[in-house]
Amino acid sequence: MFSSFKSLLVLGCVAASAVAQQIAIAIPATNDTVSAGSNITVQVIKPDSLTGSTEVGIAISLKSCASYPGGCAVVDISQALGDILYTGLYDPEYRSGEWYPFQNFTVQVPSGFPSGQAALGVTQLALVGAGPYPYTQVTNQTINVA
């Protein structure tokens, strides 16, 4: 019984450290409108964690939801990212007055991108813990393209 308790405790710690690594898109905000062909700033934040991690990189993508009944609410961008706007290093840093470390990326919305709802996504790969083990995450939010 003690062995299963230890296994459960270890599993819980691994799950907690993974949750603590989660990133989020701060800019643009949900339901903001951007123009096709324009440059936009995507701000990716990473809350602090007690578990050490090494960022490997991210990909920023944009997937049109215009052809889906139900819009972006029914789109799973982890299965198909859409147009890739950026791939490369992710090195979030603290700046004065900010709660979380973040990094800004300037990306271009493809000209001719369909207007309507779109899922702006960020895919992250990090190495977590002393092991380390690979950790991936896909997060997104809905924006509007005009």
Side-chain angles (χ1 to χ4, degrees), residues 25-32 34 40-43 120 141-143:
I25 301 168
I27 299 172
T30 301
N31 294 320
D32 274 0
V34 300
I40 63 169
T41 298
V42 178
Q43 184 178 88
L120 177 67
Q141 61 192 31
T142 302
I143 62 173

Side-chain angles (χ1 to χ4, degrees), residues 2-18 51 133:
F2 184 69
S3 176
S4 63
F5 176 73
K6 282 175 47 179
S7 297
L8 187 59
L9 182 63
V10 168
L11 181 62
C13 289
V14 168
S17 69
T51 304
Y133 68 90

Side-chain angles (χ1 to χ4, degrees), residues 19-30 42-47 55 58 60 90 92 100-105 120-124 135 137-141:
V19 168
Q21 303 299 320
Q22 292 189 353
I23 59 171
I25 301 168
I27 299 172
T30 301
V42 178
Q43 184 178 88
V44 182
I45 63 172
K46 179 185 172 194
E55 294 298 328
I58 64 170
I60 300 173
Y90 177 52
Y100 300 117
F102 67 93
Q103 186 173 355
N104 289 335
F105 300 89
L120 177 67
V122 176
T123 304
Q124 171 203 28
Y135 173 73
Q137 174 192 356
V138 179
T139 188
N140 72 289
Q141 61 192 31

Side-chain angles (χ1 to χ4, degrees), residues 15-144:
S17 69
V19 168
Q21 303 299 320
Q22 292 189 353
I23 59 171
I25 301 168
I27 299 172
T30 301
N31 294 320
D32 274 0
T33 299
V34 300
S35 298
S38 68
N39 288 334
I40 63 169
T41 298
V42 178
Q43 184 178 88
V44 182
I45 63 172
K46 179 185 172 194
D48 271 342
S49 168
L50 295 177
T51 304
S53 67
T54 302
E55 294 298 328
V56 175
I58 64 170
I60 300 173
S61 59
L62 188 63
K63 182 173 179 75
S64 175
C65 304
S67 63
Y68 294 91
C72 289
V74 298
V75 173
D76 181 3
I77 66 159
S78 69
Q79 301 301 309
L81 298 175
D83 291 27
I84 303 300
L85 309 179
Y86 171 85
T87 60
L89 298 177
Y90 177 52
D91 186 21
E93 296 179 0
Y94 276 105
R95 303 218 173 85
S96 67
E98 298 295 329
W99 284 94
Y100 300 117
F102 67 93
Q103 186 173 355
N104 289 335
F105 300 89
T106 300
V107 297
Q108 185 175 33
V109 177
S111 59
F113 193 87
S115 53
Q117 280 192 339
L120 177 67
V122 176
T123 304
Q124 171 203 28
L125 172 61
L127 303 176
V128 177
Y133 68 90
Y135 173 73
T136 59
Q137 174 192 356
V138 179
T139 188
N140 72 289
Q141 61 192 31
T142 302
I143 62 173
N144 297 298

